[in-house]
């Protein structure tokens, strides 16, 4: 019988590599264990993404920095912040980031995709996921990922991103156009980290994704056959335990250190 392809997303692969127990709790356990509360940095990132998507949906005449800043306010949420004062500070910061960003780019572009779902069979997997933005330049499509984290990003970050590489592979098939370039747009610093993939670099990312997918697929099948969940999906203890959504259901994670405050990972 032909081998069934394993569907993978960047988030599923990253969760498996980060902590197999968190993978099990997120994707396999039913009912799903209770998650922790909202994280301010996640709220901030979601607001910026939603504002930029809405911005490119506007008619060209309305694509102004002021409109971009206003969209941050329209999509804002206080979830995860320490209180109204901190939320207001970061709402203003985010409005400034987005306003400055659109002031520096060609707002007349019409993206090929905004929050576009792409999917394609590659090797032993089906690579799929949602891309923040896909532009077309000189007959090729470019994969763009918005970032709002604490630090500026580098070419190495763009080159080493498995998520971006899988998006390239999936975008090629979904859009039926050439694609090699990936870009990380870091809004807090206004910088862009870019990389031009080769077939060799994409193959390396694909191989690592296939290996990880095979690992969690085998563990999942063994679990369904009656295997020990703690053996098949061990806790990967580390700093990440401080902000794990499933911390309350993991004794090892609780023992690793104190829980982080919901706003601990905001840009200083």
């Amino acid at each position: 019988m032909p081998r069934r392809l394993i569907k993978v997303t960047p988030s599923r692969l990253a969760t498996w590599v980060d902590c197999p127990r968190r993978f099990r709790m997120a994707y396999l356990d039913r009912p799903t264990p209770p998650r922790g509360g909202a994280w301010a940095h996640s709220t901030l990132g979601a607001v910026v993404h939603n504002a930029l998507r809405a911005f490119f949906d506007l008619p060209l005449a309305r694509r102004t920095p002021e409109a971009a800043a206003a969209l941050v306010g329209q999509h804002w949420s206080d979830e995860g912040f320490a209180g109204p004062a901190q939320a207001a500070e970061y709402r203003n910061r985010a409005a400034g980031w987005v306003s400055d960003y659109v002031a520096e780019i060609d707002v007349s572009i019409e993206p090929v995709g905004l929050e576009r779902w792409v999917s394609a069979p590659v090797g032993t997997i089906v690579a799929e996921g949602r891309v923040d933005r896909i532009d077309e330049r000189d007959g090729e499509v470019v994969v763009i990922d918005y970032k709002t984290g604490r630090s500026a990003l580098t070419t190495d970050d763009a080159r080493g991103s498995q998520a971006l590489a899988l998006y390239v592979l999936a975008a090629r098939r979904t859009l039926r156009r050439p694609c090699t370039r990936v870009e990380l747009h870091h809004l807090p610093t206004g910088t862009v980290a870019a990389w031009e993939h080769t077939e060799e670099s994409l193959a390396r990312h694909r191989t690592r994704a296939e290996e990880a997918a095979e690992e969690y697929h085998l563990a999942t099948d063994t679990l369904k056959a009656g295997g020990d969940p703690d053996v098949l999906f061990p806790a990967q203890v580390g700093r990440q335990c401080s902000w794990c959504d499933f911390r309350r259901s993991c004794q090892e994670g609780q023992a690793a250190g104190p829980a982080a405050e919901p706003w601990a990972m905001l840009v200083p």
Side-chain angles (χ1 to χ4, degrees):
M1 293 291 292
R3 183 175 182 177
R4 182 166 62 90
L5 301 181
I6 306 170
K7 287 189 175 183
V8 304
T9 62
S11 59
R12 188 176 288 249
L13 289 170
T15 301
W16 170 259
V17 173
D18 188 48
C19 179
R21 177 169 296 175
R22 183 157 65 90
F23 179 96
R24 191 198 80 211
M25 291 181 176
Y27 298 109
L28 302 178
D29 286 355
R30 294 294 180 269
T32 304
R35 295 176 181 266
W39 293 95
H41 70 282
S42 296
T43 297
L44 181 66
V47 167
V48 167
H49 281 70
N50 289 334
L52 286 171
R53 175 179 181 174
F55 177 82
F56 283 105
D57 281 337
L58 293 174
L60 178 57
R62 294 177 55 197
R63 293 181 191 174
T64 65
E66 294 76 18
L71 286 168
V72 170
Q74 291 177 28
H75 289 88
W76 187 257
S77 169
D78 286 357
E79 288 191 356
F81 290 91
Q86 187 188 60
E89 175 191 348
Y90 279 89
R91 182 177 65 243
N92 291 335
R93 284 203 203 184
W97 297 342
V98 173
S99 175
D100 291 345
Y101 175 73
V102 303
E104 295 296 324
I105 65 173
D106 178 4
V107 298
S108 68
I109 63 172
E110 295 298 339
V112 175
L114 294 169
E115 300 291 335
R116 175 67 185 265
W117 185 263
V118 293
S119 178
V122 287
T124 61
I125 62 176
V126 177
E128 54 188 24
R130 195 177 303 279
V131 185
D132 292 345
R133 193 173 98 214
I134 303 175
D135 287 354
E136 182 173 5
R137 302 176 198 160
D138 301 323
E140 297 194 6
V141 292
V142 178
V143 169
I144 295 171
D145 198 26
Y146 301 128
K147 294 296 183 183
T148 57
R150 295 168 64 92
S151 304
L153 301 166
T154 68
T155 300
D156 286 343
D157 293 310
R159 178 179 58 193
S161 171
Q162 185 177 71
L164 293 181
L166 292 178
Y167 290 152
V168 166
L169 293 170
R172 288 176 168 183
R173 177 67 175 267
T174 301
L175 301 174
R176 300 189 181 280
R177 302 184 200 179
C179 181
T180 57
R181 185 176 177 86
V182 298
E183 295 179 355
L184 295 169
H185 292 203
H186 188 248
L187 275 291
T189 58
T191 57
V192 174
W195 179 253
E196 293 280 352
H197 273 294
T198 64
E199 297 308 311
E200 290 75 18
S201 66
L202 290 170
R204 288 193 293 271
H205 279 289
R206 191 194 79 185
T207 297
R208 285 195 290 270
E210 288 175 325
E211 291 171 350
E214 181 61 32
E215 288 174 359
Y216 74 63
H217 183 65
L218 177 59
T220 300
D221 283 349
T222 306
L223 178 68
K224 291 177 180 177
D228 187 332
D230 290 332
V231 173
L232 295 169
F233 299 89
Q236 186 72 36
V237 177
R239 292 178 59 250
Q240 69 275 11
C241 295
S242 295
W243 55 83
C244 178
D245 286 338
F246 298 105
R247 176 184 171 85
R248 69 178 68 179
S249 301
C250 179
Q251 292 183 352
E252 289 91 336
Q254 295 173 30
E261 297 288 1
W263 51 87
M265 288 178 282
L266 287 168
V267 176

